[in-house]
Amino acid sequence: MGDSFHLSTADLVALAFFVLVWVLHTLASDGKLVRRMSLTTAMNVQRQAWMRNMAEREVRIVDTAIMAGLQQGTAFFASSSLIAIGGCFALLGASDQVVSVLSDLPLGATSSRSAFQMKVFGLVLILAYSFFKFGWAYRLFNYCSILIGAVPIPHGEASRNPVSETAVWRAARMNMLAGKHFNSGMRGVFFSIGYLGWFVDPKVFVLSTLLLLAVLVRRQFFSAARQAVIGQPPEPTPGPGKSRSMWPDSR
């Protein structure tokens, strides 16, 4: 079966491992596999809090500015994905030269031109997936901006009526969906880095996938960023002549 795809059995096993790691990490980040709260889940809570606070403001210039920044960042990564896809097609035009270089690497396995092209097409699929995720996230952030504008202006207790609560829920839900698709696009970009190990050797592919997984797991579940989102400031303990600040030392 591997020969029919110009790939060895080791290549297919390494590819299956790569896909499995991707799926498991996605489920864990979305809170569907482990109990420990991920950074993504914690930020979804903050997105909901943002929309609730937005509903209490009469002037929402800050909220629209934040949305504009989110859209700009999404558009940047979408454009970067397209540029990377163009680079992959340039690789296809220089397949023989690249295969020759890879075969000279200390850990490089001898790979046929057809196998190399199959791997490049796989990289194109990953980057295309990321592009479509970024493109959809950009549109969802645009929809979220409209839903923010649809939230009624607060006027005392009237700001907590069922119509306003529903409008806030819609804006928060759309914001979370946009963030979910943006994170999926970023995950595709990150895993495309691990995918590059396949061009060297299946064993290197497995190793690069494991290293990437270690980095992503740390960022999602054990990073300082996660602690900053879910943590609590320390209680001030005044000493003789001065008090301890609640802000972390930035030196």
Side-chain angles (χ1 to χ4, degrees), residues 179-209:
K180 178 181 179 180
H181 287 281
F182 178 82
N183 289 334
S184 296
M186 287 299 302
R187 196 174 294 118
V189 172
F190 290 147
F191 273 89
S192 69
I193 303 300
Y195 184 92
L196 296 178
W198 197 15
F199 289 96
V200 181
D201 183 79
K203 295 179 181 178
V204 176
F205 186 21
V206 172
L207 179 60
S208 63
T209 301

Side-chain angles (χ1 to χ4, degrees), residues 39-53:
L39 178 58
T40 297
T41 303
M43 285 306 302
N44 282 337
V45 176
Q46 298 303 315
R47 291 176 190 273
Q48 294 174 340
W50 170 23
M51 291 297 105
R52 288 194 298 268
N53 291 331

Side-chain angles (χ1 to χ4, degrees), residues 118-172:
M118 288 289 294
K119 294 175 183 179
V120 173
F121 278 121
L123 184 58
V124 169
L125 288 177
I126 294 175
L127 294 172
Y129 167 84
S130 297
F131 168 75
F132 279 109
K133 284 294 183 179
F134 288 133
W136 185 233
Y138 183 91
R139 192 165 188 177
L140 292 182
F141 279 128
N142 184 46
Y143 291 158
C144 185
S145 299
I146 296 173
L147 291 176
I148 288 176
V151 176
I153 299 297
H155 293 290
E157 292 298 325
S159 63
R160 300 186 181 278
N161 61 58
V163 175
S164 298
E165 292 290 340
T166 300
V168 171
W169 179 87
R170 289 171 178 168

Side-chain angles (χ1 to χ4, degrees), residues 192-246:
S192 69
I193 303 300
Y195 184 92
L196 296 178
W198 197 15
F199 289 96
V200 181
D201 183 79
K203 295 179 181 178
V204 176
F205 186 21
V206 172
L207 179 60
S208 63
T209 301
L210 288 175
L211 290 175
L212 175 67
L213 177 63
V215 172
L216 295 182
V217 167
R218 179 189 174 278
R219 289 181 176 180
Q220 281 288 342
F221 298 100
F222 305 98
S223 66
R226 174 185 176 276
Q227 183 61 31
V229 176
I230 69 174
Q232 296 292 332
E235 292 293 334
T237 55
K242 63 178 181 178
S243 61
R244 191 178 74 180
S245 173
M246 65 178 288

Side-chain angles (χ1 to χ4, degrees), residues 15 23 180:
L15 180 60
V23 172
K180 178 181 179 180

Side-chain angles (χ1 to χ4, degrees), residues 95-136:
S95 298
D96 294 330
Q97 296 90 326
V98 177
V99 169
S100 176
V101 171
L102 292 175
S103 62
D104 291 336
L105 294 177
L107 298 177
T110 303
S111 178
S112 65
R113 185 173 186 270
S114 299
F116 172 77
Q117 291 177 339
M118 288 289 294
K119 294 175 183 179
V120 173
F121 278 121
L123 184 58
V124 169
L125 288 177
I126 294 175
L127 294 172
Y129 167 84
S130 297
F131 168 75
F132 279 109
K133 284 294 183 179
F134 288 133
W136 185 233

